[in-house]
Amino acid sequence: MSREFQRGHKTRISDLTAGTDLYVGVQISGPGLTFDISCFGLDADERLSDDRYFVFFNQPKTPEESVQLLGAQAGDTESFRVTLDRIPSQIRRLSFTATLDGAGQMSQIAPGYLRIVAGGQEVARYSFDGSEFSTERAVMLGDFYFKDVWRFAAVGQGFDGGLDALLKNFGGEVAEEEAPAAAPQPQPGAAPGFAPPAFGAPSAPAPAPAPAPQQPQPVAQGFAPPSAPTSAAAPPVHAAPTIIAPMTPPGGVQVPPPSPAPAPYGQPGQQAPYGQPPQYGQPGAPTAPPPPGYGQPQAPQAPTPPPGYGQPTPPPGYGQQPAFGQVPGQQPYGVPQGAPQGGAGVTAALQQFKETPTGQRWTPQTRKLIRVDLGVGGQPVLARQGSMVLYQGKVDFSYKGAGFAGRIVGNATGQEMQLMRCTGQGQVFLAEDSTMLHPIELQGDGICVSAENVLAFDESLQYEVRRIEGHGIPGGALFTMQFTGTGTVVVKTHGTPVVLPVTPTTFADCNAVVAWSAAAQVVVSSQVRMRRNAYPGDTGESVNLQFRAAPGNFIVVQPYEV
């Protein structure tokens, strides 16, 4: 059974099929549109470091044939064969792309798809249409990427610049096309070099020699006549359009040049250098005597002031009568008061607050509101009770108990979490006390977070209470929650947090620390004195946490004390 993907969905390929010989088909079309479908083989830095792994119509396979272009078949516009176990170790990502060949935009495309077939059966399909794009001319449809194992991601990300922007995004270089050379003049009586040979046909009489053209004058750069085309071939497919802007001589005054004498077809005529008037007595010069001062620079003249210059400007709408029945200063009839004049009332006013659909499992809607799509991944979510503010679809909420032992541990350590279990097919919006929310994706690593700062997390994550060693305080220890595995945990903070690297002398207030890397060693450092603030250097904090870890570890601190 084929699995349907949306933009942003990811999965292991081993969850789709056990095979490594895959068929990738792309179907994309549109009225009057032509597409080029390619595959980029990228390195660990997601760069096209080897041009041999750019598979397209002019290079249909990689050197070891791990990726092969098969062409249109089985209803697909283009298709590829991908053999995962033959891909070299330096290639970590295969990006399947589609670019427009010619005019048009991706918003004009009809419904299409990218599908994966293994063993003759379709196992995955990512469907898309023009509503997902706007002015893009190139789009990344899907990726095969290696992260411990080979995985698949439905991307659906576009570029306005077309193939050139796509190549630059992958670190490739766009070859600049050279200007066509001027065609050599054929010798009298000789056939052109590109003419086909004549069999049995009488030779054409030699044309009369053309008169030698006069020596041309220097021509300004950029105004040279175009060279004659060498053939009738169509222009290159991916050539960027040339924008020609009108040029004005210095000073803003353009003197029309005199009409030069006609020259033979394809030959440059005689004209004076750009910006200089023709000299009398040369070909193309006017026969009448020059006017006084001709060819000499003229002093700039002051511009004529506009009518009403120096008079006060009347306020907008002055002297205009409102429509019949309309009160001056009010919106026209049928337009709500307060709506923008050029917008569509309520729709324009609320446009900035629209939902942000990305197709991913966790999507921040604002800095203080997050949405989880339970249909992505098919796993339940554990969230703090009372954190649901809205849900769509068929979603079930149930109480998630910690058990008798869990309640005892939670009460004793202060790390008890009252959780609810969210299951079903739908979207759940979560928030709490207008705190800022930060989704953190774990890929086999771990993070320590206080239970007070956890809003929600994937049920696939493992979590337990971790003890912080210390001395000099009652009980001799503090506690935190440690999350490990693969999934996302949503951390909440009061204000914008700061992430700092762990150094040998890193101390933090235990009430302001939000999270830290699980590999860091944490020790309680006490500063108990007879009188607080009685000695120089006293922070006023009786208990601090000291962090020790290898380079690469971090702590997260919020500008707020719990």
Side-chain angles (χ1 to χ4, degrees):
M1 180 178 179
S2 179
R3 178 174 169 182
E4 290 290 338
F5 281 74
Q6 297 179 1
R7 179 191 295 182
H9 288 190
K10 305 175 183 178
T11 189
R12 300 184 185 91
I13 294 182
S14 58
D15 294 340
L16 301 175
T17 176
T20 59
D21 194 356
L22 307 178
Y23 171 94
V24 179
V26 177
Q27 204 285 326
I28 185 170
S29 61
L33 302 180
T34 305
F35 299 89
D36 291 332
I37 302 173
S38 313
C39 177
F40 290 83
L42 310 176
D43 56 20
D45 296 328
E46 299 188 1
R47 314 293 286 179
L48 183 64
S49 56
D50 192 336
D51 294 342
R52 298 176 301 170
Y53 289 89
F54 176 31
V55 179
F56 65 114
F57 59 89
N58 207 26
Q59 185 169 263
K61 60 183 179 180
T62 58
E64 71 290 331
E65 298 185 357
S66 60
V67 181
Q68 303 178 43
L69 187 69
L70 303 180
Q73 56 179 319
D76 299 330
T77 308
E78 190 61 87
S79 60
F80 299 84
R81 180 184 180 183
V82 179
T83 310
L84 295 178
D85 53 3
R86 299 178 63 178
I87 298 176
S89 59
Q90 70 269 20
I91 301 301
R92 301 287 84 179
R93 182 180 294 266
L94 301 177
S95 181
F96 298 92
T97 66
T99 57
L100 277 168
D101 183 5
Q105 299 176 350
M106 286 295 176
S107 59
Q108 303 171 349
I109 64 175
Y113 60 81
L114 180 146
R115 64 172 180 161
I116 303 175
V117 178
Q121 295 183 355
E122 181 177 316
V123 296
R125 176 183 289 249
Y126 163 48
S127 301
F128 54 85
D129 55 38
S131 63
E132 300 182 21
F133 311 104
S134 55
T135 60
E136 295 91 338
R137 292 180 45 79
V139 61
M140 296 187 298
L141 298 175
D143 286 355
F144 287 177
Y145 66 99
F146 189 85
K147 194 173 184 180
D148 301 330
V149 295
W150 281 103
R151 305 167 184 258
F152 169 69
V155 182
Q157 179 182 351
F159 295 85
D160 289 346
L163 181 62
D164 292 354
L166 199 60
L167 283 170
K168 293 178 181 178
N169 176 71
F170 292 143
E173 296 182 357
V174 182
E176 298 182 359
E177 299 179 0
E178 300 179 356
Q185 296 292 334
Q187 298 295 332
F194 57 82
F199 297 95
S203 58
Q214 299 181 2
Q215 185 68 21
Q217 296 294 331
V219 182
Q221 185 69 23
F223 288 89
S227 58
T230 58
S231 65
V237 174
H238 302 294
T242 302
I243 302 177
I244 303 177
M247 301 184 63
T248 306
V253 180
Q254 186 172 3
V255 180
S259 302
Y265 177 76
Q267 299 293 332
Q270 295 181 352
Q271 63 181 27
Y274 175 75
Q276 298 183 9
Q279 302 295 329
Y280 287 90
Q282 294 183 356
T287 56
Y294 179 79
Q296 300 179 2
Q298 299 181 3
Q301 300 180 359
T304 304
Y309 177 77
Q311 300 180 3
T313 304
Y318 178 79
Q320 299 180 359
Q321 294 294 333
F324 178 76
Q326 178 181 345
V327 180
Q330 289 188 355
Q331 299 272 17
Y333 178 75
V335 179
Q337 297 298 320
Q341 295 287 344
V346 176
T347 303
L350 301 180
Q351 184 70 22
Q352 57 180 325
F353 305 114
K354 285 185 61 178
E355 179 186 1
T356 306
T358 62
Q360 300 181 0
R361 180 170 172 83
W362 295 91
T363 306
Q365 301 299 303
T366 66
R367 303 177 69 179
K368 302 179 181 181
L369 181 67
I370 193 168
R371 186 195 70 184
V372 54
D373 191 343
L374 300 177
V376 179
Q379 297 179 356
V381 167
L382 300 180
R384 186 179 294 272
Q385 290 186 17
S387 61
M388 187 278 296
V389 297
L390 171 71
Y391 73 91
Q392 296 174 320
K394 186 177 181 180
V395 181
D396 295 328
F397 300 92
S398 60
Y399 173 73
K400 171 62 176 178
F404 180 75
R407 288 197 299 269
I408 294 179
V409 173
N411 292 330
T413 61
Q415 299 299 313
E416 182 180 9
M417 293 186 294
Q418 300 293 332
L419 301 175
M420 61 181 180
R421 192 168 185 262
C422 310
T423 58
Q425 296 290 328
Q427 299 83 35
V428 182
F429 294 76
L430 304 171
E432 187 177 56
D433 296 337
S434 193
T435 54
M436 301 183 68
L437 306 180
H438 314 276
I440 301 175
E441 182 180 358
L442 302 180
Q443 292 289 344
D445 45 0
I447 188 172
C448 294
V449 188
S450 174
E452 178 67 25
N453 296 100
V454 177
L455 179 72
F457 55 93
D458 287 323
E459 194 179 39
S460 58
L461 292 176
Q462 294 81 40
Y463 59 98
E464 61 181 354
V465 178
R466 179 179 176 182
R467 184 172 182 265
I468 301 174
E469 300 295 336
H471 56 83
I473 62 174
L478 296 176
F479 300 89
T480 185
M481 297 297 298
Q482 178 173 320
F483 292 84
T484 57
T486 301
T488 300
V489 55
V490 180
V491 178
K492 61 177 184 174
T493 63
H494 295 270
T496 303
V498 61
V499 180
L500 299 173
V502 175
T503 65
T505 58
T506 299
F507 295 83
D509 181 7
C510 61
N511 291 319
V513 174
V514 176
W516 61 88
S517 50
Q521 179 185 4
V522 187
V523 179
V524 176
S525 174
S526 61
Q527 294 183 357
V528 179
R529 292 190 172 96
M530 296 288 296
R531 296 174 55 192
R532 304 180 75 178
N533 302 326
Y535 300 95
D538 188 4
T539 64
E541 304 291 347
S542 60
V543 179
N544 291 329
L545 297 180
Q546 180 181 6
F547 293 84
R548 303 169 184 172
N553 289 270
F554 63 89
I555 61 172
V556 182
V557 181
Q558 65 183 359
Y560 179 87
E561 292 191 5
V562 179

